[in-house]
Amino acid sequence: MELAYYSDYAVRLVNTEEPGRGKDSLTSVDAVRGLFGANQEAARRAADADLTRFRSVRGRLRAVFEAADGGDEELAVNLLNSLLLEFPVSPQISGHNHRDDDGRPLWHMHLADHPSNATAGYAAIASMGLAFHLTEYGVDRLGLCEAAPCRNAYLDTSTNRSRRYCSDRCATRANVAAYRARKRLEADRSESTGRTERKAQDSTAGTDR
């Protein structure tokens, strides 16, 4: 796996909660295990105690996104550094038995599973992945969806740093809401203009009399 892949671990965990909607899908050990994706060996280590620990890490990762989204780069970096210090990674060179056309191993950096518990392993991977993304692409590439009340985290990989929503669905919903708001404003302005014109006509008629 490339290190950039691990940044999705952070997004995946943060988005198990939608504060604006009062939703939280991280409610069971099975939900914790589901976050690991294909890494079933690490997922099997998850226990009841990890549920509370995962929620704690989730809040700290969301704080990184909130700081970045708010333009406070120093705070975002400091918060992420605290996670990196608490949950250090164990890098390894791995090939996963993958080979190129000439039969040579396709070596790449891999973050080894943490031996202590599921939370420590996941937090280490998520924090390192997010740190890689931040240093490689910039703090402003960490965002929170602008489609209220969503506020899901996302990683901006657009070429012109233009991403504002976590998904096409939220982008469509926001565009529809903006369109309807413009139409309401136009209707209000038209009605206001109509009232003004009618008043002017009434005033003119009164003067003629």
Side-chain angles (χ1 to χ4, degrees):
M1 296 180 185
E2 297 180 357
L3 291 181
Y5 166 86
Y6 293 111
S7 58
D8 187 57
Y9 274 59
V11 174
R12 203 181 306 164
L13 176 55
V14 170
N15 290 347
T16 60
E17 182 181 31
E18 297 182 67
R21 293 189 174 105
K23 294 183 178 180
D24 186 348
S25 62
L26 196 60
T27 58
S28 67
V29 176
D30 284 341
V32 169
R33 289 172 179 158
L35 290 169
F36 285 90
N39 193 349
Q40 293 304 304
E41 182 178 347
R44 281 192 290 271
R45 290 202 298 269
D48 289 338
D50 285 299
L51 190 56
T52 299
R53 291 195 291 252
F54 259 73
R55 286 174 173 170
S56 175
V57 172
R58 178 180 65 185
R60 294 170 67 182
L61 285 171
R62 174 169 283 277
V64 175
F65 278 92
E66 289 175 342
D69 189 66
D72 195 335
E73 295 195 14
E74 293 291 336
L75 178 58
V77 169
N78 289 338
L79 291 171
L80 189 50
N81 273 336
S82 70
L83 283 163
L84 290 169
L85 287 171
E86 185 173 344
F87 302 104
V89 299
S90 301
Q92 289 182 341
I93 300 174
S94 175
H96 289 301
N97 298 319
H98 298 158
R99 296 181 180 275
D100 62 18
D101 294 337
D102 296 323
R104 293 175 298 191
L106 295 171
W107 300 118
H108 57 270
M109 291 301 298
H110 173 81
L111 302 184
D113 294 334
H114 202 285
S116 58
N117 61 67
T119 304
Y122 194 98
I125 289 173
S127 300
M128 186 62 197
L130 198 57
F132 176 82
H133 194 93
L134 185 152
T135 55
E136 184 73 9
Y137 302 108
V139 177
D140 59 343
R141 292 288 189 159
L142 279 58
L144 293 173
C145 186
E146 292 185 13
C150 178
R151 303 301 284 168
N152 271 351
Y154 65 82
L155 299 171
D156 186 358
T157 56
S158 64
T159 56
N160 57 354
R161 300 173 184 263
S162 61
R163 185 170 178 179
R164 298 167 55 199
Y165 307 104
C166 69
S167 64
D168 290 340
R169 180 181 179 183
C170 276
T172 299
R173 189 171 70 247
N175 289 334
V176 169
Y179 173 79
R180 289 174 176 171
R182 287 196 302 271
K183 287 299 182 182
R184 285 195 298 270
L185 181 60
E186 290 173 2
D188 290 343
R189 286 175 175 171
S190 177
E191 184 178 349
S192 177
T193 300
R195 286 197 300 266
T196 301
E197 290 177 349
R198 286 194 295 273
K199 288 181 179 179
Q201 291 171 356
D202 292 343
S203 177
T204 301
T207 301
D208 292 340
R209 287 196 298 269

